[in-house]
Amino acid sequence: MDRKDIISEVERTIREEGEAVQALSGQLDMEKMAELVSLIGSRKGKVVMSGCGTSAMAARKAVHSLNCIECSAVFLTPSDAVHGGLGVLDKDDILILISKGGNTEELVQLIPACRSKGAVLVGVTEDETSAIGQAADLCLKVKVVREPCRFNMLATASTLAVISLFDAVCIALMQYTEYTKEQFAVIHPKGAVGERLTGKEASHERYDEGGSIQGN
């Protein structure tokens, strides 16, 4: 494989992943998306998210983003959950299970406790007829045409699609809850973002409403 082939493979992967995310807006059930935003924005409890493998990475990213807009969220490790970790789940909470196939055993075994506690169950999967899809109070279908890898197995484009879904949820929640820059500044005082929020950015840098740097 020469340098030209490597570049071609990199470009193809980026292109196909971009296409997968772009196709998401036409694939998602927007009424269900609106319902999820309303559920999270109006519910008294927290969001508990769980997943395995790359789905766990997508869940952890979503948890962080939700906390950044003060929608309390935690990641529940599936293996720990059935050894007492499920104690974190309360009746006022929303349990979100992310599973590409929808039948991940480690996640399916969390469903009985969710039902016993009276929490809302949300499934994110490509198969609505799966165990998680059928058990969920609300199921969001996320399915890409194919993964960029030659085996069509490494979960890359599909993981980005799930991350994009929850990015969209978070942005909508900011409007739903009327979240302000002042609130954000309290919990994010450090780093470049903190400097922008507190007005301490470098004197030669100014930002427009879209977050782009404007020159002097």
Side-chain angles (χ1 to χ4, degrees):
M1 189 177 192
D2 60 24
R3 185 174 295 272
K4 182 178 179 181
D5 291 331
I6 293 172
I7 292 173
S8 176
E9 193 72 353
V10 169
E11 291 177 338
R12 181 186 65 81
T13 299
I14 293 173
R15 181 176 64 254
E16 291 186 6
E17 289 189 346
E19 290 170 352
V21 172
Q22 187 174 24
L24 194 60
S25 62
Q27 174 207 112
L28 282 173
D29 184 325
M30 290 303 170
E31 289 299 321
K32 289 184 176 180
M33 285 289 286
E35 185 177 349
L36 179 58
V37 171
S38 297
L39 269 174
I40 297 174
S42 60
R43 205 163 176 84
K44 294 179 181 179
K46 61 187 174 297
V47 175
V48 179
M49 299 189 71
S50 194
C52 293
T54 48
S55 291
M57 300 304 105
R60 287 181 185 276
K61 195 279 180 186
V63 163
H64 176 72
S65 294
L66 285 167
N67 283 322
C68 281
I69 59 170
E70 296 191 58
C71 289
S72 297
V74 296
F75 177 79
L76 181 60
T77 304
S79 59
D80 292 337
V82 291
H83 290 275
L86 274 163
V88 74
L89 187 66
D90 187 72
K91 64 181 179 64
D92 292 323
D93 294 342
I94 301 169
L95 176 62
I96 301 179
L97 302 179
I98 303 176
S99 170
K100 186 177 181 182
N103 295 304
T104 306
E105 183 179 351
E106 295 91 336
L107 301 181
V108 172
Q109 64 186 353
L110 308 186
I111 296 174
C114 181
R115 289 291 172 239
S116 295
K117 286 173 172 280
V120 173
L121 178 62
V122 175
V124 179
T125 177
E126 68 177 20
D127 186 0
E128 294 172 296
T129 67
S130 63
I132 291 174
Q134 291 183 329
D137 297 302
L138 178 65
C139 180
L140 290 166
K141 180 179 179 180
V142 180
K143 186 173 184 179
V144 300
V145 174
R146 63 168 288 114
E147 305 287 4
C149 92
R150 300 297 180 174
F151 306 134
N152 189 27
M153 295 183 70
L154 186 63
T156 52
S158 58
T159 303
L160 284 176
V162 171
I163 290 173
S164 182
L165 180 156
F166 283 103
D167 283 347
V169 166
C170 286
I171 299 303
L173 275 167
M174 293 175 76
Q175 301 303 312
Y176 186 92
T177 63
E178 299 182 342
Y179 194 63
T180 67
K181 284 185 178 180
E182 289 74 22
Q183 288 174 276
F184 198 12
V186 171
I187 64 167
H188 202 318
K190 294 297 183 180
V193 170
E195 289 179 351
R196 287 170 57 190
L197 289 167
T198 58
K200 296 178 181 178
E201 71 268 24
S203 60
H204 65 281
E205 291 182 352
R206 292 293 182 271
Y207 299 82
D208 62 21
E209 288 300 315
S212 300
I213 297 176
Q214 302 296 306
N216 288 332

